[in-house]
């Protein structure tokens, strides 16, 4: 099979998974289509056939972000090659890549390469930076080269059915998810101009038009899309995790690549 096209599927509230996935898909060197599941559900099912697929999602609590898993539910491959990619905020990705790889197999894809990259932590703040500015140019260059290698491998490859099973880091049973806490970002009424950007970028429609704008604590997934994309910096999310992460997980971590080491 000659794979001449790619499909890029992602969930990425603060755009780091999107940036990494896009660099990989660009590296493949073929035309590609995008399915952005950040703010929308699939209408029906999506069958990806005869294309190389790149799936990129963030890590929440050492697992794939739950909303990403929900949005991916209707996506299927037909023995199509896939590159699962997780992006995490410099603490750890624990079982997320394994979980995403398993999802790929269960959904009819053949994972032949995978990666864990680092993105600026959702809870990074200017005075307590955690992986601020990542993925940076070095990360993106690595992602493009990784994509290039994958594209080279697939060029002219007859079939992937005999391809050895992809091994990634992670454990069974997957890490148990912690209980949901009901804190949400808040709006500083004096700065808010009611421009509506936060409402548009919220992946789960948790933000309501009231004065000041408020988040529904049950719906909110604390992704901080509203905090990072507010043009007035009127949205804040103060969590003790910021201090903890800044103190313990500021040392630079490097991306991990799986499956193409012998190329
Ligand atoms: C609720 C939540 C949980 C998170 N858990 C982790 C984690 O377990 N490990 C980690 O390193 N980063 C964690 N992060 C940080 C994100 O993985 C990181 O910021 C990622 O780059 C966000 O992806 P996005 O920009 O595509 O939304 C978490 C972020 C949120 C919002």
């Amino acid at each position: 099979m000659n794979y001449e096209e790619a499909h890029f599927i992602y969930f990425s509230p603060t755009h780091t998974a999107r940036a990494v996935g896009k660099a990989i898909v660009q590296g493949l060197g073929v035309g590609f289509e995008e399915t952005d599941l950040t703010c929308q559900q699939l209408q029906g099912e999506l069958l990806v056939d005869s294309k190389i697929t790149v799936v990129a999602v963030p890590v929440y609590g050492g697992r794939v972000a739950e909303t990403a898993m929900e949005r991916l539910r209707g996506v299927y491959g037909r023995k199509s090659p896939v590159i699962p990619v997780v992006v995490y905020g410099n603490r750890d990705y624990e079982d997320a890549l394994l979980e995403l790889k398993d999802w790929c197999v269960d959904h009819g894809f053949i994972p032949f390469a995978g990666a864990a990259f680092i993105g600026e932590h959702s809870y990074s703040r200017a005075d307590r930076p955690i992986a601020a500015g990542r993925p940076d140019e070095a990360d993106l260059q690595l992602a493009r080269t990784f994509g290039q290698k994958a594209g080279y491998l697939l060029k002219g490859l007859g079939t992937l059915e005999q391809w050895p099973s992809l091994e990634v880091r992670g454990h069974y049973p997957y890490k148990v998810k912690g209980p949901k806490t009901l804190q949400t970002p808040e709006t500083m009424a004096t700065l808010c101009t009611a421009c509506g950007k936060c409402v548009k970028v919220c992946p789960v429609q948790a933000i309501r038009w009231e004065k000041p704008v408020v988040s529904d604590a049950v719906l909110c997934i604390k992704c901080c899309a509203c905090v990072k994309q507010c043009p007035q910096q009127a949205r804040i999310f103060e969590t003790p995790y910021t201090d903890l992460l800044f103190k313990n997980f500021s040392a630079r971590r490097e991306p991990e690549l799986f499956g193409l080491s012998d190329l």
Side-chain angles (χ1 to χ4, degrees):
M1 174 98 49
N2 219 346
Y3 296 101
E4 298 291 357
E5 277 176 89
H7 201 119
F8 175 34
I9 303 172
Y10 60 94
F11 173 83
S12 184
T14 61
H15 303 162
T16 61
R18 179 179 79 177
V20 170
K22 195 157 195 162
I24 293 175
V25 89
Q26 283 169 340
L28 290 169
V30 295
F32 65 92
E33 201 182 321
E34 283 188 23
T35 300
D36 179 0
L37 297 175
T38 309
C39 288
Q40 56 179 6
Q41 322 242 7
L42 273 181
Q43 300 301 317
E45 289 188 351
L46 171 66
L47 176 68
V48 188
D49 200 6
S50 331
K51 288 184 183 180
I52 314 166
T53 303
V54 175
V55 184
V57 296
V59 175
Y60 287 1
R63 301 278 303 272
V64 174
E66 211 164 301
T67 314
M69 288 309 270
E70 283 163 24
R71 302 263 158 102
L72 285 169
R73 205 170 281 154
V75 178
Y76 292 93
R78 196 180 276 158
K79 298 197 168 110
S80 353
V82 67
I83 305 177
V85 181
V86 297
V87 177
Y88 69 103
N90 208 57
R91 185 188 68 78
D92 198 1
Y93 62 92
E94 289 160 306
D95 303 326
L97 186 57
L98 181 64
E99 183 184 13
L100 186 61
K101 186 205 87 166
D102 290 345
W103 173 89
C104 291
V105 174
D106 291 347
H107 280 240
F109 291 96
I110 301 181
F112 70 103
F117 275 76
I118 293 89
E120 175 169 318
H121 202 291
S122 320
Y123 302 157
S124 174
R125 299 292 172 257
D127 57 345
R128 286 154 295 161
I130 309 146
R134 309 244 349 238
D136 58 16
E137 194 37 48
D139 295 317
L140 296 176
Q141 185 52 47
L142 183 70
R144 281 189 289 269
T145 307
F146 182 61
Q148 225 167 13
K149 280 187 180 180
Y152 173 74
L153 170 90
L154 288 174
K155 215 158 250 164
L157 194 78
T159 171
L160 270 171
E161 278 182 71
Q162 304 304 319
W163 193 254
S165 155
L166 177 70
E167 298 295 324
V168 298
R169 182 157 79 76
H171 297 96
Y172 298 114
Y174 304 143
K175 186 177 177 187
V176 176
K177 293 177 190 177
K180 188 176 162 84
T181 51
L182 289 180
Q183 196 197 349
T184 73
E186 288 170 15
T187 305
M188 289 185 281
T190 48
L191 296 178
C192 177
T193 59
C195 71
K197 180 80 179 179
C198 55
V199 176
K200 255 190 234 146
V201 301
C202 176
V204 290
Q205 289 84 49
I207 301 177
R208 290 196 309 270
W209 280 115
E210 282 171 28
K211 278 190 179 169
V213 166
V214 291
S215 296
D216 180 321
V218 175
L219 295 176
C220 177
I221 58 170
K222 304 179 194 71
C223 67
C224 291
C226 58
V227 175
K228 296 217 171 185
Q229 291 170 69
C230 173
Q232 305 301 324
Q233 279 97 51
R235 297 278 291 172
I236 48 165
F237 186 55
E238 271 308 325
T239 162
Y241 283 123
T242 297
D243 285 340
L244 188 132
L245 291 162
F246 174 64
K247 219 165 136 198
N248 300 303
F249 299 101
S250 286
R252 184 183 176 94
R253 294 194 63 167
E254 294 299 338
E256 289 170 54
L257 309 175
F258 300 89
L260 299 176
S261 51
D262 44 347
L263 277 183

